[in-house]
Amino acid sequence: LRRLRPQYTEIFDFYDSLYVFFGKAQDPFLSVSARTHPEHFAKGFPLLCAESFSTNRKTATAFLRKLIAVLQRHGQQGQKDLACIDNALEQSTLDPTPLPGAYLARDRNPFNQIAEQLGCDVAVLEYIFGLACSFSLQQARENGLVAPQGDWPHGYCPLCGCVPAIGEIRGDEGRLDLHCGTCGENWRWARRCCASCGNQDEETLEYFTAGDDKAHRVNICRKCHSYLKVVDSREAGLDHPMDLED
């Protein structure tokens, strides 16, 4: 990717450091357990919910402070906010244990309250915990956590309930798989269907590409005004992880 897109070197430097850190952080600070009632899945509920997370405060604090150190080494924006959050963790004035569950439940109230108390940007606080939750969920998937088998006709992740970050067209039949930006789960989706609202009206579904790049496109729904980035791996021929393509 550095060779193909040298203009993104600064971003690649950041992800290099991030993935090296994640690769060394083998001790999970979050315990992830699935729902106890499989029938919830059949009714359209993802496997995990806010109560699926249990957090060790001491381990979580150490992990988050090391993660913040990685963020502080790259870029200039948000440095004051990162230092504020790191100091709160060090002084034990920030309890991180309820925030992974709130992030998974898309409950912004705890983040808003803590950001106001600390005097930091709520977006920085959410970003830190978003990275931490993604790492923990992908770690859990590597250790055997899987969504139940069967069709999943919903535009949100069957495992964690988060929205897809990107789609991938692959295979001889050109099927579309959605890729969760939080846990990394993939699931099949209809090519001509909006993942946000389920719209299948072809007159209000479009896509565009940039220049001669046929491998990367953006699907647009004119009904709900949403978009989805899509990689056509048949054209790209690189087999990159979708997190990097995103």
Side-chain angles (χ1 to χ4, degrees), residues 46-147:
L47 185 70
L48 303 179
C49 62
E51 291 72 29
S52 301
F53 281 164
S54 59
T55 310
N56 180 296
R57 179 170 181 172
K58 182 178 179 180
T59 308
T61 297
F63 175 87
L64 291 166
R65 295 198 65 206
K66 291 177 182 177
L67 174 58
I68 290 172
V70 175
L71 300 178
Q72 288 176 318
R73 290 199 297 270
H74 296 273
Q76 285 74 43
Q77 294 183 341
Q79 290 294 329
K80 183 179 178 181
D81 298 304
L82 291 171
C84 176
I85 297 167
D86 181 58
N87 181 67
L89 288 167
E90 181 183 20
Q91 301 298 324
S92 298
T93 56
L94 168 56
D95 179 7
T97 54
L99 292 181
Y103 183 86
L104 189 65
R106 293 166 293 284
D107 181 4
R108 300 197 66 188
N109 288 329
F111 289 96
N112 288 330
Q113 292 170 5
I114 290 175
E116 184 176 357
Q117 292 169 3
L118 298 180
C120 69
D121 187 343
V122 66
V124 176
L125 185 66
E126 288 182 319
Y127 182 67
I128 292 169
F129 278 87
L131 287 175
C133 287
S134 291
F135 166 72
S136 296
L137 286 170
Q138 295 197 33
Q139 188 180 48
R141 289 181 64 238
E142 290 174 0
N143 291 330
L145 180 68
V146 294

Side-chain angles (χ1 to χ4, degrees), residues 205-223:
L205 294 172
E206 306 172 17
Y207 74 87
F208 68 83
T209 58
D212 296 328
D213 184 0
K214 296 181 180 180
H216 300 86
R217 63 175 65 178
V218 177
N219 289 358
I220 302 171
C221 177
R222 298 293 183 188
K223 184 176 181 180

Side-chain angles (χ1 to χ4, degrees), residues 181-194:
T182 299
C183 72
E185 180 75 13
N186 299 304
W187 69 102
R188 183 74 60 90
W189 191 251
R191 282 277 298 269
R192 302 297 291 172
C193 181
C194 173

Side-chain angles (χ1 to χ4, degrees), residues 229-245:
K229 294 174 286 186
V230 176
V231 176
D232 190 337
S233 291
R234 302 169 304 173
E235 294 284 348
L238 298 172
D239 196 28
H240 288 155
M242 284 300 104
D243 289 326
L244 284 180
E245 287 285 9

